[in-house]
Amino acid sequence: MAAAQSPLDSVAAAAERARAALGGTFAAISAWERGNGRLRVLVNAGELAEGEERYPEDESYPVHDFPEIAEFLHEEWAGGGHGPRAWVECVEDGAESGAYGLEGTYRHLGAATGGGWERVAALRRRGRGCCVVAPIVLHGRAWGELYVARPPGAPAFDRTDADFATVLAAVAAAGIAQTERLEEVRRLAFTDPLTGLGNRRAVDARLDEAVERHLAEGVVVSLVVCDLNGLKRVNDTLGHAVGDRLLERFGSVLSLCGAMLPGTLAARLGGDEFCLLTVGPTADEVVRVADELCRRAGGLELGEGVACGVASTGDPIGPVRTARRLFRLADAAQYRAKAALAEKPVVAGRDGPGEAVLELADHPPVPPPAERRRFRGRRE
């Protein structure tokens, strides 16, 4: 689980290993969505029945069909009476079938009501003979369940298996908790706290990957760099709280426009600088979105529009072998837009000879004296 690349991969690793450890042919991990009262299946592992998917998009079940989740898990052990314990359910009569209850006994499912019948019906419907269900407890609350099944004719799970499943569920819970912590750290590391957009670190990481794809596959990579005009005036005259609101509102506009191109990363680079990074869409599509961005930004209250520069490998800008190169081209175009007070984006390779654009990127103009302080520490 620790080696997984995503939270879902981590859960899948837990399901696979638990299935193998318990000698099952199928395993699933489900999460209890308390808000809508459903158990949502996150992953199915092993031998899948007809209609089952490894990563189902909408496989979920109402918790009231499985009262042991809401009642046994929450009321019994969460109330302080017992720790979480797994139970076994089987289809065949005569075996140690039934639900492994708090008293350490099995209850034959033929006499059970409620969730028992649902479980048996599900086992029969999917061609399985026996299952063990273990609660996954996270932060002192029932988070979900680990479910492992065997086929008809295989040895039924017994009390030892149920106890082992309880331990495995606890190990899985520890792994899920670690994954959640790492995801939160990652979110904070790659997110701008004011706008909720990506930050410069996120852009650098994504752009490096994008340029590698461009060099390997020829995919089009485009960068839109924009500078929000009038922020300093707003901060100086109305206060930084109002300036922050302007940044937030422009961030929303940027996100909205970025959503017009699938997979686009919208980010705040710092201060009043923002960007859109796209991989795949054509240069013309990106320019159209940049034009819409300029139009919407011009309508924001308090602000003075946006200076926008575009650089795309789909335009005649020369070879782009590094992320830095594309950044400098987009930044140079953005500076030209700002100097000209342009209401539309300036596009590298389209406004004037390509050689002039490249020269500008290699030798960015020096800001006038009044602007130098604001540009201090800016990207190359």
Side-chain angles (χ1 to χ4, degrees):
M1 294 179 70
Q5 298 298 310
S6 72
L8 193 56
D9 288 341
S10 179
V11 171
E16 288 282 8
R17 298 304 185 184
R19 180 191 62 79
L22 285 163
T25 55
F26 172 83
I29 290 182
S30 305
W32 182 3
E33 295 184 335
R34 294 170 181 265
N36 58 20
R38 299 186 72 84
L39 272 175
R40 182 168 64 89
V41 179
L42 302 178
V43 62
N44 291 313
E47 299 177 6
L48 306 185
E50 183 178 356
E52 289 179 331
E53 299 176 348
R54 181 168 176 80
Y55 297 112
E57 293 185 5
D58 57 0
E59 184 181 353
S60 65
Y61 307 94
V63 171
H64 63 73
D65 284 349
F66 307 101
E68 71 275 10
I69 294 297
E71 297 172 8
F72 174 78
L73 292 185
H74 180 70
E75 295 180 7
E76 296 293 340
W77 65 259
H82 302 273
R85 301 171 71 178
W87 61 91
V88 171
E89 296 168 351
C90 295
V91 172
E92 298 296 332
D93 292 337
E96 279 191 308
S97 59
Y100 181 30
L102 294 174
E103 296 79 17
T105 61
Y106 286 84
R107 184 177 71 251
H108 183 43
L109 284 178
T113 59
W117 290 113
E118 294 289 343
R119 294 282 190 183
V120 169
L123 284 169
R124 287 200 178 103
R125 186 168 61 250
R126 289 167 179 158
R128 295 171 185 136
C130 188
C131 70
V132 58
V133 185
I136 296 176
V137 181
L138 210 61
H139 312 306
R141 300 175 66 189
W143 180 89
E145 68 172 30
L146 167 66
Y147 174 102
V148 180
R150 290 174 178 168
F157 290 110
D158 57 21
R159 182 175 305 182
T160 300
D161 293 320
D163 290 340
F164 187 32
T166 300
V167 174
L168 292 176
V171 174
I176 292 168
Q178 175 180 311
T179 301
E180 287 187 347
R181 287 193 295 269
L182 291 175
E183 279 299 299
E184 178 63 13
V185 170
R186 179 180 176 84
R187 186 189 67 79
L188 294 174
F190 288 91
T191 303
D192 174 61
L194 177 64
T195 62
L197 302 174
N199 61 13
R200 176 60 190 267
R201 186 179 290 108
V203 174
D204 287 344
R206 183 81 66 87
L207 187 55
D208 284 339
E209 295 174 358
V211 171
E212 288 180 5
R213 282 193 59 194
H214 167 68
L215 295 174
E217 307 169 21
V219 66
V220 175
V221 180
S222 305
L223 193 64
V224 180
V225 174
C226 42
D227 192 287
L228 184 60
N229 297 326
L231 179 63
K232 185 177 185 303
R233 176 189 59 79
V234 171
N235 285 335
D236 291 344
T237 59
L238 300 175
H240 286 272
V242 178
D244 286 349
R245 287 203 299 272
L246 176 59
L247 289 168
E248 290 176 305
R249 293 183 65 184
F250 178 69
S252 297
V253 170
L254 185 75
S255 178
L256 177 66
C257 290
M260 298 176 184
L261 300 171
T264 294
L265 172 65
R268 181 187 178 201
L269 299 172
D272 55 6
E273 290 187 306
F274 295 77
C275 82
L276 293 174
L277 170 59
T278 72
V279 181
T282 66
D284 286 342
E285 291 175 305
V286 174
V287 171
R288 281 196 293 271
V289 168
D291 190 64
E292 177 68 10
L293 174 63
C294 290
R295 187 188 68 79
R296 289 175 180 266
L300 286 177
E301 185 182 359
L302 301 177
E304 299 172 6
V306 66
C308 184
V310 181
S312 174
T313 61
D315 279 329
I317 59 175
V320 174
R321 297 187 176 90
T322 64
R324 180 183 180 188
R325 177 68 168 167
L326 192 64
F327 234 132
R328 293 181 69 174
L329 287 166
D331 207 25
Q334 180 270 325
Y335 186 84
R336 291 170 60 197
K338 194 171 190 69
L341 303 178
E343 296 183 356
K344 290 182 173 291
V346 171
V347 184
R350 297 191 183 187
D351 297 297
E355 293 78 12
V357 174
L358 296 177
E359 181 181 358
L360 181 62
D362 287 327
H363 305 285
V366 178
E371 294 286 318
R372 288 177 186 168
R373 178 177 299 177
R374 194 170 69 82
F375 279 80
R376 187 173 298 161
R378 187 184 172 124
R379 302 185 316 278
E380 293 184 342

